[in-house]
Amino acid sequence: MKIIILKWALRIAAIAILLLGILVGVVLNPTLLYANKTMIGKFTVYHNQPIDEHLKMRLNDADEILKSSELYDSNLKFDICLNDGSFYPSLLEIFLGNAFALGFTSNKIAICGEANFKDNYVEVNNYKWNLTQLLAHEATHCLVFHKVGFWNSNPVAHHPKWKWEGYPEYVARRNADQIDLVKNIEKLNRSMEKDKIEWGISFADSTISPTEYFVNRLLIQYCIEIKNMTYENILNDTTSEQAIQNQMFDWFTKQ
């Protein structure tokens, strides 16, 4: 009996490994689930429907934003996977959760929400995220992975969420109403004065940032612009999130 159980256990394990290998292969090769791919500069766009004429501008603008990052690598190329009929974005969400978009490994970006390339936003549950900034956010995740490697990237490395999501937000949010730290903290304080903290912080272009991500961004902005830390310093620093937040608000009260 024990031998039979062991044989079945080995068979099941072998099947699981095989299925996992197939899944990883599909995720790393999006061309398997798309009808077309088109090269736009350093971007390889995977799509089923004809590409919107505004996409090239959004990609180029996102790349310009990325140049502000200390991790920017002009030689890095990206795969952009559109949500235009392929099962690929939904497959990723099964394992990674619902998202506006997902950036992973050193070059893969999947748009999961409904993209409006002309008006420059991606929509999920009636919330709109600036498309150019979303592309820059997810591409920054790729830059980080490219820099620090698999073992020092989340979810393996378990970096605090404020560090992992705050830096892509810091790089990406470059509109005029997003760059001043004092005004950003004032905006956060106004949102916290309400009876119920809203899910998203609104910007002048009618898009949002999730409030949690907005706070994460402020902490990164404080560390980089006020404490003169690099992102590598931040990842390696052991100061708690609460302590950084206390330092930031203490600095703010003195302005």
Side-chain angles (χ1 to χ4, degrees), residues 99-251:
F100 286 82
L102 293 166
F104 59 101
T105 71
S106 63
N107 70 337
K108 299 252 178 327
I109 299 171
I111 296 177
C112 301
E114 294 297 321
N116 185 316
F117 299 101
K118 179 181 178 181
D119 294 332
N120 199 26
Y121 66 81
V122 172
E123 186 170 0
V124 173
N125 296 330
N126 295 319
Y127 290 105
K128 296 177 180 179
W129 196 311
N130 181 289
L131 171 58
T132 300
Q133 295 182 345
L134 181 61
L135 289 168
H137 174 113
E138 302 304 339
T140 302
H141 277 306
C142 296
L143 291 179
V144 173
F145 186 99
H146 180 67
K147 175 67 175 181
V148 305
F150 175 81
W151 296 108
N152 199 29
S153 295
N154 281 5
V156 177
H158 301 292
H159 292 296
K161 190 172 182 179
W162 72 270
K163 296 182 180 183
W164 200 250
E165 296 296 345
Y167 184 67
E169 281 292 275
Y170 175 71
V171 172
R173 303 290 185 178
R174 292 292 159 181
N175 285 354
D177 62 332
Q178 299 169 333
I179 58 177
D180 185 275
L181 180 56
V182 170
K183 292 181 179 179
N184 283 338
I185 296 175
E186 290 173 347
K187 181 187 287 286
L188 175 64
N189 286 340
R190 287 194 298 270
S191 72
M192 296 177 66
E193 290 172 356
K194 300 177 181 179
D195 293 335
K196 182 179 180 181
I197 297 178
E198 296 181 351
W199 182 83
I201 299 290
S202 298
F203 301 118
D205 64 356
S206 299
T207 64
I208 57 89
S209 167
T211 301
E212 180 183 11
Y213 279 33
F214 187 76
V215 174
N216 295 340
R217 181 195 185 280
L218 297 191
L219 297 179
I220 293 293
Q221 186 175 11
Y222 170 75
C223 288
I224 291 177
E225 297 182 5
I226 306 304
K227 299 185 70 175
N228 297 315
M229 299 175 70
T230 66
Y231 185 53
E232 184 177 1
N233 294 153
I234 294 170
L235 284 180
N236 294 327
D237 186 62
T238 58
T239 308
S240 70
E241 177 180 359
Q242 186 61 57
I244 295 293
Q245 193 169 124
N246 291 342
Q247 292 173 17
M248 182 182 71
F249 280 111
D250 183 57
W251 169 86

Side-chain angles (χ1 to χ4, degrees), residues 75-87:
N75 296 316
L76 192 61
K77 302 181 186 300
F78 298 93
D79 291 341
I80 307 296
C81 305
L82 302 186
N83 183 18
D84 65 349
S86 171
F87 180 64

